[in-house]
Amino acid sequence: MARAIPRRDFLNGAAMTIGAALLPEIDRASGTNSGQPQNQTGYNPPTSVGLRGSHPGSFEIAHSLRDGTFWKNAATPEPVSEKYDLIIVGGGISGLAAAYFYRESVGPGAKILILENHDDFGGHAKRNEFHLDGKLQLLNGGTMLIDSPTPYSAEAAGLMKKLGIDAVALDKKCSDHDLYKSLGLGTGVFFDGETFGADRLVVEAATEDRENSGDAPDTAKLEEFLAKTPFKGPARRDILRIERGEIDYLPGLTSAEKKDRLSRISYKDFLLNIAKVEPSVIPFYQTRTNGEWGVGIDAEPALDCWALGLPGFQGLQLEPGAAPRMSYSAGGYANGGSDRFHFPDGNASIARLLVRVLIPSAIPGNSVEDIVTAPVRYDRLDTDNSPIRIRLNSTAVRVRNAAHSNISRGVEVTYASGKRVFSLRAGACVLACWNMTIPYLCPDLSDKQKEALHYLVKVPLVYTSVGIRNWISFQKLGISNINAPGAYWNSVSLNWPVKIGDYQSPRSPEEPILLHLSRTPCKPGLPAREQHKVGRMELLVTSFETFERKIRDQLARMLAAGGFDPARDIEAITVNRWPHGYGYEYNPLFDPEWPEGQQPHILGRKRFGRITIANSDSGATAYTDVAIDQAYRAINELLTA
Ligand SMILES: Cc1cc2nc3c(=O)[nH]c(=O)nc-3n(C[C@H](O)[C@H](O)[C@H](O)COP(=O)(O)OP(=O)(O)OC[C@H]3O[C@@H](n4cnc5c(N)ncnc54)[C@H](O)[C@@H]3O)c2cc1C
């Protein structure tokens, strides 16, 4: 029997979330932690369905701080007698790594408290856990891969090694990249009626893993595919030319000159005005960059799209080499990362490995493989028995150096949990939270630093996990993943086939499986940061019911010919809503060229007394290795100050 989630729970997804607001009050003043939400029996946030990611209960305090209403209504802070060497704000990969690096330097007795506003640790590296037909199935709620556009640094790669992660070896041992192909499943493209005139799913035959086989792309297959699409003659010819043509659209320029030109125009401009394609071709490519940068090709430089592998540049003879934001290089992954290995819960496994190293009693086991199925004892994350503690459902609201407060040295950190506010002291503080929140936490920062911190506002996106009864409809249609360039969900795919430790993902279409759906809300035509703003607003006002309706509608339309019936086949839904998702990466089309050292992330992350700043925002990119690198820097700054 599947663990059927009653439909009313879908419709009331927020109520399924374990948030601070919904659980008992903390009994911190009396010196016990017994009332803390995370200590309640059965507390296991990864199994919550409904609206996850930045779930209800996680962001309201931060928003009221931003809006200037928090202190008007807040209770008087209650002093807490606990004393720490270090308090870290943010329990994502960067915060956890900061705790790790600090303890490495200071010694095993280092007393560290990590405050996290969500009901789980990991930050974006979150786990979605389902039990379908009684069997564990996992998906990443956020961070998917141990990948990066640049090789992992010695520190990030070193941490991976310490955690036992050899991504390349794990890929060889645990991934089954050929499973779907062996079942005859390939890729489909869904042309939605609203964008392309009529709903149509066009299936591409299962092909070799080209990236690995080194085979040339097959033009005949592409022609066959295009013949089935809604595109008419000229548009079809243009797509074929863009995909396969060896045309130099910028004759007479050197490679460097071409690259310079391509860095100043969008890919959409390149297609329309340089390659001169039919405008009707654009929707086919519009969302190709959404998953990478959160906006479409209208707002992404053509040069970055070339580096990302988008077509049209084959005849330009561009010399290999980095584009500003895309410098994938052969062997770049060997040093710590892999764009092919995926823990079943994504990089949540990295967060769990870190927590196990920091608080061994909280997660049993001892290998990189057993972490996947190891249960977390949430009630052991914040106890007197461990020098390192993780306090969930706790939003930092003020962080002050001694000079700006009533204490004689160190820092004072104030946080809110539920309706209560607590005040703590520590030797120092690392802000491993989001840069744009820091000006509200540290009002004593200079205006210049605040302005720089405000610049790094994150990119919104949504990853949704849908449990379905079986994947016979996918088998009948011959697809394992679908790109839907114009639809609400831009991609839908069967979960990655992985076998690791005791975990085995489904292998037979008769078994239940998880689908991964993604959406990047944005508003084509506006500058990138404006598009993100519109997308964030959209996420804030989109209810779970709307997400659910969009899921049911789109899956029904895409998969009907395979016999999919959403009412019968959908078992569970978790919408991971990330209004503050990817760290912002400067976009050469819209951002100024600051002099070296004057970029907002450099100015923003400056040490402030006993407070330093970590988080991937401080590296102006959205990758796990950067979150680790910034943690390393922030701890180093503290120790050398
Ligand atoms: C959907 C998605 C997919 C991604 N996929 C990949 C990928 O495949 N590969 C990759 O390398 N990277 C990926 N990334 C980026 C990667 O997840 C991040 O770069 C990295 O995890 C950031 O870690 P962090 O600790 O710096 O920040 P976060 O993970 O954001 O953690 C910071 C934490 O601080 C908390 N916080 C903020 N303010 C406060 C406060 N006032 N009090 C207490 N806590 C606070 C936040 O809620 C958050 O939990 C992805 C990101 C997203 C959103």
Coordinates of all heavy atoms in Angstrom, one line a residue, residues 54 58 62 65 88-96 115-118 120-126 140-148 152 347 394-397 415 432-434 437 441 458-459 461-463 576 578 580-583 614-617 621-628 630, ligand 1:
S54 N 11.1 27.5 1.7 CA 10.9 28.5 2.7 C 9.4 28.3 3.1 O 8.5 28.9 2.5 CB 11.1 29.9 2.1 OG 12.5 30.1 2.0
S58 N 8.7 30.0 8.6 CA 10.1 30.2 8.5 C 10.5 31.7 8.2 O 11.6 32.1 8.6 CB 10.8 29.3 7.5 OG 10.4 29.7 6.2
A62 N 11.5 37.4 9.8 CA 12.5 38.1 9.0 C 11.8 39.2 8.2 O 12.3 40.3 8.0 CB 13.3 37.2 8.0
L65 N 11.0 42.1 10.4 CA 12.2 42.8 10.7 C 12.5 43.8 9.5 O 12.8 45.0 9.7 CB 13.3 41.8 10.9 CG 14.6 42.3 11.6 CD1 14.2 42.7 13.0 CD2 15.6 41.1 11.6
I88 N 26.7 30.9 15.1 CA 26.6 30.9 13.6 C 25.1 31.1 13.3 O 24.3 30.4 13.7 CB 27.1 29.6 13.0 CG1 28.6 29.5 13.3 CG2 26.9 29.6 11.5 CD1 29.2 28.1 12.9
V89 N 24.8 32.1 12.5 CA 23.5 32.4 12.0 C 23.3 31.7 10.6 O 24.0 32.1 9.7 CB 23.1 33.9 12.0 CG1 21.7 34.1 11.4 CG2 23.3 34.5 13.3
G90 N 22.5 30.7 10.6 CA 22.3 30.0 9.3 C 22.8 28.6 9.4 O 24.0 28.4 9.6
G91 N 21.9 27.6 9.2 CA 22.3 26.2 9.3 C 22.4 25.5 7.9 O 22.1 24.4 7.8
G92 N 22.8 26.3 6.9 CA 23.0 25.7 5.6 C 24.4 25.1 5.5 O 25.1 25.0 6.5
I93 N 24.8 24.8 4.3 CA 26.1 24.2 4.1 C 27.2 25.1 4.6 O 28.2 24.7 5.2 CB 26.4 23.8 2.6 CG1 25.3 22.8 2.1 CG2 27.8 23.4 2.4 CD1 25.6 21.4 2.4
S94 N 27.0 26.4 4.4 CA 28.0 27.4 4.8 C 28.1 27.4 6.3 O 29.2 27.4 6.9 CB 27.7 28.7 4.2 OG 28.9 29.5 4.2
G95 N 27.0 27.5 7.0 CA 27.0 27.6 8.4 C 27.6 26.3 9.0 O 28.4 26.3 10.0
L96 N 27.2 25.2 8.5 CA 27.7 23.9 9.0 C 29.2 23.8 8.8 O 29.9 23.3 9.6 CB 26.9 22.7 8.4 CG 25.4 22.7 8.7 CD1 24.7 21.6 7.8 CD2 25.1 22.4 10.2
L115 N 22.1 28.9 14.7 CA 20.7 29.3 14.7 C 20.2 29.1 13.3 O 20.8 29.6 12.4 CB 20.5 30.7 15.2 CG 20.9 31.0 16.6 CD1 20.9 32.5 16.9 CD2 19.9 30.3 17.6
E116 N 19.0 28.5 13.2 CA 18.4 28.3 11.8 C 16.9 28.6 11.9 O 16.2 28.1 12.7 CB 18.7 26.9 11.3 CG 17.9 26.5 10.1 CD 18.2 27.4 8.9 OE1 19.3 27.7 8.6 OE2 17.2 27.8 8.3
N117 N 16.5 29.5 10.9 CA 15.1 29.9 11.0 C 14.1 28.8 10.4 O 12.9 28.8 10.8 CB 14.8 31.2 10.3 CG 15.2 31.1 8.8 OD1 16.2 30.5 8.4 ND2 14.4 31.8 8.0
H118 N 14.6 27.9 9.6 CA 13.7 26.8 9.1 C 13.6 25.7 10.1 O 14.3 25.7 11.1 CB 14.3 26.3 7.8 CG 14.2 27.2 6.6 ND1 15.1 28.2 6.4 CD2 13.2 27.4 5.7 CE1 14.7 28.9 5.3 NE2 13.5 28.4 4.9
D120 N 14.4 22.7 9.6 CA 15.4 21.7 9.4 C 16.7 22.4 9.1 O 16.7 23.5 8.7 CB 14.9 20.8 8.1 CG 15.6 19.5 8.1 OD1 16.4 19.2 9.0 OD2 15.3 18.7 7.2
F121 N 17.8 21.6 9.2 CA 19.1 22.2 8.8 C 19.4 21.9 7.4 O 18.6 21.2 6.7 CB 20.2 21.5 9.7 CG 20.2 20.0 9.6 CD1 20.9 19.4 8.5 CD2 19.6 19.2 10.6 CE1 20.9 18.0 8.4 CE2 19.6 17.8 10.5 CZ 20.3 17.2 9.4
G122 N 20.4 22.5 6.8 CA 20.8 22.2 5.4 C 20.6 23.4 4.5 O 21.2 23.4 3.4
G123 N 19.8 24.4 4.9 CA 19.6 25.6 4.0 C 18.9 25.1 2.8 O 17.9 24.4 2.8
H124 N 19.5 25.4 1.6 CA 18.9 25.0 0.3 C 19.1 23.5 0.1 O 18.5 22.9 -0.7 CB 19.6 25.7 -0.8 CG 19.2 27.2 -0.8 ND1 20.2 28.2 -1.1 CD2 18.1 27.8 -0.6 CE1 19.5 29.3 -1.1 NE2 18.3 29.2 -0.7
A125 N 20.1 22.9 0.8 CA 20.4 21.5 0.7 C 19.4 20.7 1.5 O 19.7 20.2 2.6 CB 21.8 21.2 1.1
K126 N 18.2 20.6 1.0 CA 17.1 20.0 1.8 C 16.6 18.6 1.2 O 16.7 18.4 0.0 CB 15.9 20.9 1.8 CG 16.0 22.1 2.8 CD 15.6 21.7 4.2 CE 16.1 22.7 5.2 NZ 16.0 24.1 4.9
N140 N 15.9 15.5 -3.9 CA 16.4 16.8 -3.3 C 15.3 17.8 -3.4 O 14.6 18.0 -4.4 CB 17.6 17.3 -4.1 CG 17.3 17.3 -5.6 OD1 17.1 16.3 -6.3 ND2 17.3 18.5 -6.2
G141 N 15.1 18.5 -2.2 CA 14.2 19.6 -2.2 C 14.8 20.9 -2.7 O 14.2 21.9 -3.1
G142 N 16.1 20.9 -2.7 CA 16.9 22.1 -3.3 C 18.1 21.5 -4.0 O 18.0 20.8 -5.0
T143 N 19.3 21.8 -3.4 CA 20.6 21.5 -4.1 C 20.6 20.1 -4.6 O 20.4 19.2 -3.9 CB 21.7 21.8 -3.1 OG1 21.4 22.9 -2.3 CG2 23.0 21.9 -3.8
M144 N 21.0 20.0 -5.9 CA 20.9 18.7 -6.5 C 22.2 18.0 -6.6 O 22.3 16.8 -6.4 CB 20.4 19.0 -8.0 CG 19.9 17.8 -8.7 SD 19.3 18.2 -10.4 CE 17.9 19.2 -10.0
L145 N 23.3 18.7 -7.0 CA 24.5 18.1 -7.4 C 25.7 18.7 -6.8 O 25.7 19.9 -6.4 CB 24.7 18.3 -8.9 CG 23.9 17.5 -9.9 CD1 24.0 18.1 -11.3 CD2 24.4 16.1 -10.0
I146 N 26.8 17.9 -6.8 CA 28.1 18.4 -6.2 C 28.8 19.1 -7.4 O 30.0 18.7 -7.7 CB 28.9 17.3 -5.6 CG1 28.0 16.5 -4.7 CG2 30.1 17.8 -4.8 CD1 28.6 15.2 -4.1
D147 N 28.2 19.9 -8.1 CA 28.8 20.5 -9.3 C 29.2 21.9 -9.1 O 28.8 22.5 -8.1 CB 27.9 20.4 -10.5 CG 26.7 21.2 -10.4 OD1 26.4 21.6 -9.2 OD2 26.0 21.6 -11.4
S148 N 30.0 22.4 -10.0 CA 30.4 23.8 -9.9 C 31.0 24.2 -11.3 O 31.6 23.4 -11.9 CB 31.4 24.0 -8.8 OG 31.8 25.4 -8.7
Y152 N 36.6 22.6 -7.6 CA 36.6 22.8 -6.1 C 37.9 23.2 -5.6 O 39.0 22.7 -6.0 CB 36.2 21.4 -5.4 CG 34.7 21.3 -5.3 CD1 33.8 21.5 -6.3 CD2 34.1 20.8 -4.1 CE1 32.4 21.4 -6.2 CE2 32.7 20.6 -3.9 CZ 31.9 20.9 -5.0 OH 30.5 20.8 -4.9
N347 N 22.3 17.4 -2.2 CA 23.4 17.7 -1.3 C 22.9 17.8 0.2 O 23.6 18.1 1.1 CB 24.0 19.0 -1.7 CG 24.9 18.8 -2.9 OD1 24.8 17.7 -3.5 ND2 25.6 19.8 -3.4
S394 N 14.5 29.1 14.7 CA 15.0 30.3 15.5 C 15.6 31.3 14.6 O 16.6 31.0 13.9 CB 16.1 29.8 16.5 OG 15.6 28.8 17.3
T395 N 15.0 32.5 14.5 CA 15.4 33.5 13.5 C 16.3 34.5 14.3 O 15.8 35.2 15.2 CB 14.2 34.2 12.9 OG1 13.4 33.2 12.4 CG2 14.6 35.2 11.8
A396 N 17.5 34.7 13.9 CA 18.3 35.8 14.5 C 17.7 37.1 14.1 O 17.3 37.3 12.9 CB 19.8 35.7 14.0
V397 N 17.6 38.0 15.0 CA 16.9 39.3 14.7 C 17.9 40.5 15.0 O 17.6 41.6 14.6 CB 15.6 39.5 15.5 CG1 14.5 38.6 15.0 CG2 15.8 39.3 17.0
Y415 N 17.6 36.3 19.1 CA 16.8 35.6 18.2 C 15.4 35.4 18.6 O 15.1 35.5 19.8 CB 17.5 34.2 17.8 CG 17.4 33.2 18.9 CD1 16.3 32.3 19.0 CD2 18.4 33.1 19.9 CE1 16.3 31.3 20.0 CE2 18.3 32.2 20.9 CZ 17.2 31.3 21.0 OH 17.2 30.3 22.0
A432 N 26.2 33.3 8.4 CA 26.1 32.4 7.3 C 24.7 32.4 6.7 O 24.2 31.3 6.3 CB 26.6 31.0 7.7
C433 N 24.1 33.5 6.8 CA 22.7 33.6 6.4 C 22.7 34.4 5.1 O 23.7 34.5 4.4 CB 21.8 34.3 7.4 SG 22.5 35.9 8.0
W434 N 21.6 35.0 4.7 CA 21.5 35.6 3.4 C 21.9 37.0 3.5 O 21.5 37.8 4.4 CB 20.1 35.5 2.8 CG 19.6 34.1 2.7 CD1 20.4 33.0 2.6 CD2 18.3 33.6 2.7 NE1 19.7 31.8 2.5 CE2 18.4 32.2 2.6 CE3 17.0 34.1 2.9 CZ2 17.2 31.3 2.5 CZ3 15.9 33.3 2.8 CH2 16.0 32.0 2.7
T437 N 19.6 40.0 4.3 CA 19.0 40.1 5.6 C 20.0 40.8 6.6 O 19.5 41.2 7.7 CB 18.7 38.7 6.2 OG1 19.9 38.0 6.4 CG2 17.8 37.9 5.3
L441 N 19.9 42.8 10.6 CA 20.4 42.1 11.8 C 21.4 43.0 12.4 O 21.6 43.1 13.7 CB 21.1 40.8 11.5 CG 20.2 39.7 10.8 CD1 21.1 38.4 10.7 CD2 19.0 39.4 11.7
K458 N 18.7 37.1 -3.8 CA 18.8 35.8 -4.4 C 17.7 35.6 -5.5 O 16.8 36.3 -5.6 CB 18.6 34.7 -3.4 CG 19.9 34.5 -2.5 CD 19.6 33.5 -1.4 CE 20.8 33.4 -0.5 NZ 21.9 32.6 -1.0
V459 N 17.9 34.5 -6.2 CA 17.1 34.2 -7.4 C 16.0 33.2 -7.0 O 16.2 32.2 -6.4 CB 18.0 33.5 -8.5 CG1 17.2 33.0 -9.7 CG2 19.1 34.4 -8.9
L461 N 13.2 30.2 -7.3 CA 12.8 29.0 -8.1 C 12.1 28.0 -7.3 O 12.0 28.1 -6.0 CB 14.1 28.4 -8.8 CG 15.2 27.8 -8.0 CD1 16.1 26.9 -8.9 CD2 16.1 28.9 -7.4
V462 N 11.5 27.1 -7.9 CA 10.7 26.0 -7.3 C 11.1 24.7 -7.8 O 11.1 24.4 -9.0 CB 9.2 26.2 -7.6 CG1 8.3 25.3 -6.7 CG2 8.7 27.7 -7.4
Y463 N 11.4 23.8 -6.8 CA 11.6 22.4 -7.1 C 10.4 21.6 -6.5 O 10.2 21.7 -5.3 CB 12.9 21.8 -6.6 CG 14.1 22.1 -7.3 CD1 14.1 23.0 -8.5 CD2 15.3 21.6 -7.0 CE1 15.3 23.2 -9.2 CE2 16.5 21.8 -7.7 CZ 16.5 22.6 -8.8 OH 17.6 22.9 -9.4
N576 N 8.8 22.6 -3.1 CA 9.9 23.3 -2.4 C 10.0 24.7 -3.0 O 10.5 24.9 -4.1 CB 11.2 22.6 -2.6 CG 11.1 21.2 -2.1 OD1 11.2 21.0 -0.9 ND2 10.8 20.2 -2.9
W578 N 11.4 28.3 -3.2 CA 12.6 29.0 -2.8 C 12.6 30.5 -3.4 O 13.2 30.8 -4.4 CB 13.9 28.3 -3.4 CG 14.1 27.0 -2.9 CD1 14.0 25.8 -3.6 CD2 14.4 26.6 -1.5 NE1 14.2 24.7 -2.8 CE2 14.5 25.2 -1.5 CE3 14.6 27.3 -0.3 CZ2 14.8 24.4 -0.4 CZ3 14.9 26.6 0.8 CH2 15.0 25.2 0.8
H580 N 14.0 32.9 -2.2 CA 15.4 33.3 -2.1 C 16.3 32.0 -2.4 O 16.7 31.3 -1.5 CB 15.7 33.8 -0.7 CG 14.9 35.0 -0.4 ND1 15.1 36.3 -0.8 CD2 13.7 35.1 0.4 CE1 14.2 37.1 -0.4 NE2 13.3 36.4 0.3
G581 N 16.4 31.7 -3.7 CA 17.1 30.5 -4.1 C 18.5 30.7 -4.4 O 19.3 31.1 -3.5
Y582 N 18.9 30.5 -5.7 CA 20.3 30.6 -6.1 C 20.9 32.0 -5.6 O 20.2 33.0 -5.7 CB 20.4 30.7 -7.6 CG 20.1 29.4 -8.3 CD1 19.8 29.5 -9.7 CD2 20.2 28.2 -7.7 CE1 19.5 28.3 -10.4 CE2 19.9 27.0 -8.5 CZ 19.6 27.1 -9.8 OH 19.3 26.0 -10.5
G583 N 22.1 31.9 -5.1 CA 22.9 33.2 -4.9 C 23.0 34.0 -6.2 O 23.1 33.4 -7.3
A614 N 29.7 34.7 6.1 CA 30.0 33.6 5.1 C 28.8 33.6 4.1 O 28.4 34.6 3.7 CB 30.0 32.3 6.0
N615 N 28.4 32.4 3.7 CA 27.3 32.2 2.8 C 27.7 32.4 1.3 O 28.6 33.2 1.0 CB 26.1 33.2 3.1 CG 24.9 32.9 2.2 OD1 24.9 33.2 1.0 ND2 23.9 32.4 2.8
S616 N 27.1 31.6 0.4 CA 27.5 31.7 -1.0 C 27.2 33.1 -1.6 O 27.9 33.4 -2.6 CB 26.7 30.6 -1.8 OG 25.3 30.9 -1.8
D617 N 26.3 33.9 -1.0 CA 26.2 35.2 -1.5 C 27.5 36.0 -1.5 O 27.8 36.8 -2.4 CB 25.2 36.0 -0.6 CG 23.8 35.6 -0.8 OD1 23.5 35.0 -1.8 OD2 23.0 35.9 0.1
T621 N 28.0 33.6 -6.1 CA 27.6 32.5 -7.0 C 26.7 31.6 -6.2 O 26.6 31.7 -5.0 CB 28.8 31.6 -7.5 OG1 29.5 31.1 -6.4 CG2 29.7 32.3 -8.5
A622 N 26.2 30.6 -6.9 CA 25.2 29.7 -6.3 C 25.6 28.2 -6.2 O 25.0 27.4 -6.8 CB 23.9 29.8 -7.0
Y623 N 26.7 28.0 -5.6 CA 27.2 26.6 -5.6 C 27.7 26.2 -4.2 O 28.2 27.0 -3.4 CB 28.4 26.5 -6.6 CG 27.9 26.6 -8.0 CD1 27.9 27.8 -8.7 CD2 27.3 25.5 -8.6 CE1 27.3 27.9 -9.9 CE2 26.8 25.6 -9.9 CZ 26.8 26.8 -10.5 OH 26.3 27.0 -11.8
T624 N 27.6 24.9 -4.0 CA 28.0 24.3 -2.7 C 29.4 24.6 -2.3 O 29.7 25.0 -1.2 CB 27.7 22.8 -2.7 OG1 26.3 22.6 -3.0 CG2 28.2 22.1 -1.5
D625 N 30.3 24.5 -3.3 CA 31.7 24.7 -3.0 C 32.0 26.1 -2.6 O 32.8 26.4 -1.7 CB 32.6 24.3 -4.2 CG 32.3 25.0 -5.5 OD1 31.1 25.4 -5.6 OD2 33.2 25.3 -6.3
V626 N 31.2 27.1 -3.1 CA 31.4 28.5 -2.8 C 30.9 28.7 -1.3 O 31.6 29.4 -0.6 CB 30.7 29.4 -3.8 CG1 30.9 30.8 -3.4 CG2 31.3 29.2 -5.2
A627 N 29.8 28.1 -1.0 CA 29.3 28.2 0.4 C 30.4 27.7 1.4 O 30.6 28.3 2.4 CB 28.0 27.4 0.5
I628 N 31.1 26.6 1.0 CA 32.2 26.1 1.9 C 33.4 27.1 1.9 O 33.9 27.4 2.9 CB 32.6 24.7 1.4 CG1 31.4 23.7 1.5 CG2 33.8 24.2 2.1 CD1 31.6 22.4 0.8
Q630 N 33.4 30.2 1.4 CA 33.1 31.5 2.1 C 33.1 31.2 3.6 O 33.5 32.1 4.4 CB 31.8 32.0 1.7 CG 31.8 32.5 0.2 CD 33.0 33.5 0.0 OE1 33.2 34.4 0.8 NE2 33.7 33.3 -1.1
Ligands
LIG1 C1 16.8 24.9 -5.8 C2 18.3 25.0 -5.7 C3 19.1 24.1 -6.4 C4 20.5 24.2 -6.3 N1 21.3 23.3 -6.9 C5 22.6 23.4 -6.7 C6 23.4 22.3 -7.3 O1 22.9 21.4 -8.0 N2 24.8 22.4 -7.0 C7 25.3 23.4 -6.2 O2 26.5 23.3 -6.0 N3 24.5 24.4 -5.7 C8 23.2 24.4 -6.0 N4 22.4 25.3 -5.4 C9 23.1 26.4 -4.7 C10 23.5 25.9 -3.3 O3 22.4 25.3 -2.7 C11 23.9 27.0 -2.4 O4 24.9 27.7 -3.0 C12 24.4 26.6 -1.1 O5 23.8 25.5 -0.6 C13 24.3 27.8 -0.2 O6 24.6 27.4 1.1 P1 24.6 28.5 2.2 O7 24.8 27.9 3.5 O8 25.5 29.6 1.7 O9 23.1 29.2 2.1 P2 21.7 28.6 2.4 O10 21.7 27.2 2.0 O11 20.7 29.5 1.9 O12 21.7 28.6 4.0 C14 21.6 29.7 4.8 C15 20.6 29.5 5.9 O13 20.5 30.7 6.7 C16 19.2 30.8 7.1 N5 18.9 32.1 7.6 C17 18.8 33.3 6.9 N6 18.5 34.3 7.7 C18 18.5 33.8 9.0 C19 18.3 34.4 10.3 N7 18.1 35.7 10.4 N8 18.4 33.6 11.3 C20 18.6 32.2 11.2 N9 18.8 31.6 10.0 C21 18.8 32.4 8.9 C22 18.4 30.5 5.8 O14 17.1 30.3 6.0 C23 19.2 29.3 5.3 O15 18.6 28.1 5.8 C24 21.1 25.3 -5.5 C25 20.2 26.2 -4.8 C26 18.9 26.1 -4.9 C27 18.0 27.1 -4.2

